[in-house]
Amino acid sequence: MSDHEALTRQTVDLLRDLIRNACVNDGTPDSGGEIRSVRTLEGFFAGSGLDLEVVEPHPGRASLIARIRGTDPTAPTLALVGHLDVVPVDDGGWSRDPFGAEIIDGEIWGRGALDMLYLTASYAVVTRAIATGPFRPRGDLIFAAVADEEDGSHFGVEWLTEHRLDLIDADAVLTESGGAMVGPRPLISTAVGEKGIAGRRLSVRGTPGHGSAPWGARNAAVIAADAVGRLARYRAPVQITADWRRYVQALDLEPDLAARLLDPHRIDGALNELGSLAGFAHASTHTTISPNIVRAGVKDNVIPALATITLDIRVLPDLSAVDVDAYLREALGDLADEVTIEGDEFAAATRSAVDTPLFHSLGKAVRRAYPDADLLPVLSVGGSDARFYRRRGVPAYGFALLGRHWDYGTFRQLFHGNDERIDIGSIALTVAALDTVVRDFLD
């Protein structure tokens, strides 16, 4: 068995264990239970000689950090940052046990397989290989398996940044959201930035009454339903970013379609022509408002006096919190006076430069696997722990290397979706690429 075959086997085995741990983060402090996967990793690293540190800001919400000291204290430090938590599942929507980690036709099925446990497992395998092998890096290598990424990282990287930055501070970072092929060349999507986040909740006050006589009632649920419909139909102003222009160029589309996708006045009419990429294309060019949690009512025969709508708002670059609230008022129209906008959370979009030593190392690893390929910088429409590094000026990239059959639309749809899975061939490509990148960057 070759070295890379051994790395692949170890990654597959560790990934399956992590999936089975079912560290489901539903947004409540006592969910997640990442300590289960921390214990799994402690067992994996046993005998490696690595000193492991475990932090647990809240019972069960644990992260594990390992560091390999470099030979040159002045050399740059690289951090591999992977999260351990996964989002909940819709049990009725899965074809297989979402926590069974079954291997079906060369694919590992399970919640978190793609987001991002295969990468977390790959980081662990590469770190252990370097710790136990003859290669001595010039700079430090940090492996961080962290909690709570799926609910804002309050018990994960955010907490570590505020309380134990010494454990995870680095000069360059790799994390999730990359690796799918784009266009015929092909180009490998590499997340160099991500949209910002603006959390808001809408409150609707009605008048309680008996459900047997609803005529003329001021039902908070009915008003909220109207508000949800307006928010779903709303289209924020189009922004054509440089990243989107590069993405459209990489697709090598028919010229008229490409032109419409770059025209703020015509892009919405062209989105559905992109098939599975339509959702990503829309999110790449619009600030999005998604009403994801709606609550109203306490009893089936009582007209509700209060309804709440929790919004997931993702913000394109160069927008402010003032812009977000203006979009909400515009979307609500004449309902704006009946709805209270609550919350002022705002985190701007972040981006890393691409003229860095780490980005060059990524390109070399890609071309080693696919001589005809190159990197395509993309703005991720979701969030990641990279933002905590980018805010401090540290370059952070979402990187992996998937097989040629992966397209970016399928890649995005499986994130948080039903029947999430990753093929073993892509795991082999990714762990080999990461091993190459780490050794090249730290040599």
Side-chain angles (χ1 to χ4, degrees):
M1 181 182 295
S2 70
D3 290 344
H4 282 162
E5 287 174 332
L7 295 182
T8 301
R9 173 66 65 183
Q10 292 174 39
T11 305
V12 168
D13 291 345
L14 180 56
L15 169 60
R16 299 181 75 194
D17 287 342
L18 295 177
I19 291 172
R20 290 170 181 143
N21 286 337
C23 298
V24 177
N25 184 351
D26 64 12
T28 59
D30 293 330
S31 67
E34 294 92 343
I35 188 66
R36 295 190 293 273
S37 286
V38 165
R39 299 300 180 223
T40 295
L41 288 167
E42 287 179 320
F44 174 77
F45 283 119
S48 67
L50 284 169
D51 290 328
L52 309 176
E53 182 145 0
V54 175
V55 298
E56 194 172 359
H58 182 87
R61 310 307 302 271
S63 300
L64 178 146
I65 299 92
R67 181 186 293 261
I68 298 175
R69 295 289 179 184
T71 60
D72 181 355
T74 66
T77 296
L78 174 64
L80 308 176
V81 181
H83 64 82
L84 297 171
D85 58 325
V86 303
V87 296
V89 301
D90 173 11
D91 290 326
W94 281 70
S95 304
R96 303 280 177 177
D97 177 359
F99 300 105
E102 296 178 79
I103 299 179
I104 308 296
D105 296 329
E107 295 178 320
I108 301 173
W109 287 54
R111 173 56 88 219
L114 186 62
D115 179 17
M116 64 171 289
L117 297 181
Y118 87 102
L119 273 171
T120 304
S122 297
Y123 296 160
V125 167
V126 169
T127 300
R128 192 182 194 286
I130 290 177
T132 57
F135 174 73
R136 285 291 164 263
R138 288 181 56 245
D140 288 5
L141 175 65
I142 298 169
F143 166 73
V146 298
D148 203 30
E149 190 277 340
E150 296 291 3
D151 192 49
S153 305
H154 308 299
F155 299 124
V157 172
E158 182 179 67
W159 187 91
L160 285 159
T161 299
E162 294 175 354
H163 301 279
R164 292 299 310 271
L165 183 59
D166 60 299
L167 291 179
I168 62 165
D169 200 15
D171 299 298
V173 174
L174 292 180
T175 187
E176 63 184 321
S177 290
M181 294 195 173
V182 179
R185 185 183 171 185
L187 297 174
I188 308 300
S189 59
T190 304
V192 301
E194 61 192 58
K195 294 174 76 175
I197 301 174
R200 296 291 185 274
R201 191 177 84 154
L202 306 183
S203 290
V204 180
R205 290 283 178 183
T207 303
H210 201 291
S212 63
W215 178 261
R218 182 174 165 76
N219 187 321
V222 173
I223 301 169
D226 189 3
V228 167
R230 295 184 187 202
L231 291 166
R233 293 188 296 272
Y234 179 69
R235 296 291 180 268
V238 174
Q239 289 178 254
I240 304 297
T241 65
D243 289 314
W244 177 244
R245 288 185 181 278
R246 277 191 295 269
Y247 195 92
V248 171
Q249 184 179 11
L251 291 174
D252 196 27
L253 300 168
E254 184 269 328
D256 177 67
L257 176 56
R260 283 183 285 139
L261 289 170
L262 296 176
D263 184 340
H265 303 291
R266 296 191 291 164
I267 183 173
D268 285 352
L271 290 174
N272 286 336
E273 297 179 48
L274 291 176
S276 63
L277 278 174
F280 170 73
H282 175 266
S284 295
T285 52
H286 299 70
T287 288
T288 56
I289 303 170
S290 185
N292 290 352
I293 303 174
V294 183
R295 293 193 173 100
V298 294
K299 197 172 186 296
D300 59 1
N301 65 349
V302 178
I303 293 171
L306 174 66
T308 61
I309 308 164
T310 303
L311 307 176
D312 183 358
I313 304 174
R314 303 298 172 120
V315 184
L316 284 167
D318 303 320
L319 291 177
S320 68
V322 172
D323 296 314
V324 169
D325 291 334
Y327 289 165
L328 290 175
R329 288 190 293 270
E330 183 179 4
L332 293 168
D334 59 6
L335 280 182
D337 292 336
E338 301 188 61
V339 174
T340 301
I341 301 173
E342 300 176 346
D344 58 2
E345 175 191 355
F346 184 82
T350 60
R351 197 179 192 284
S352 295
V354 298
D355 56 343
T356 67
L358 179 56
F359 200 79
H360 295 316
S361 291
L362 300 181
K364 288 166 66 175
V366 162
R367 288 185 289 275
R368 181 174 179 178
Y370 295 122
D372 57 334
D374 206 346
L375 300 175
L376 176 65
V378 299
L379 180 75
S380 175
V381 300
S384 77
D385 284 325
R387 66 188 185 276
F388 295 101
Y389 288 93
R390 295 193 192 111
R391 289 172 188 166
R392 295 187 290 110
V394 176
Y397 307 113
F399 176 76
L401 193 57
L402 304 181
R404 289 185 181 271
H405 65 284
W406 281 91
D407 65 87
Y408 198 69
T410 303
F411 176 74
R412 289 301 315 174
Q413 286 179 345
L414 286 177
F415 267 65
H416 296 192
N418 294 328
D419 290 346
E420 183 180 352
R421 57 198 184 272
I422 182 72
D423 63 291
I424 294 174
S426 292
I427 291 174
L429 286 167
T430 293
V431 73
L434 288 169
D435 188 59
T436 298
V437 168
V438 170
R439 294 172 190 272
D440 180 73
F441 181 77
L442 295 178
D443 190 5

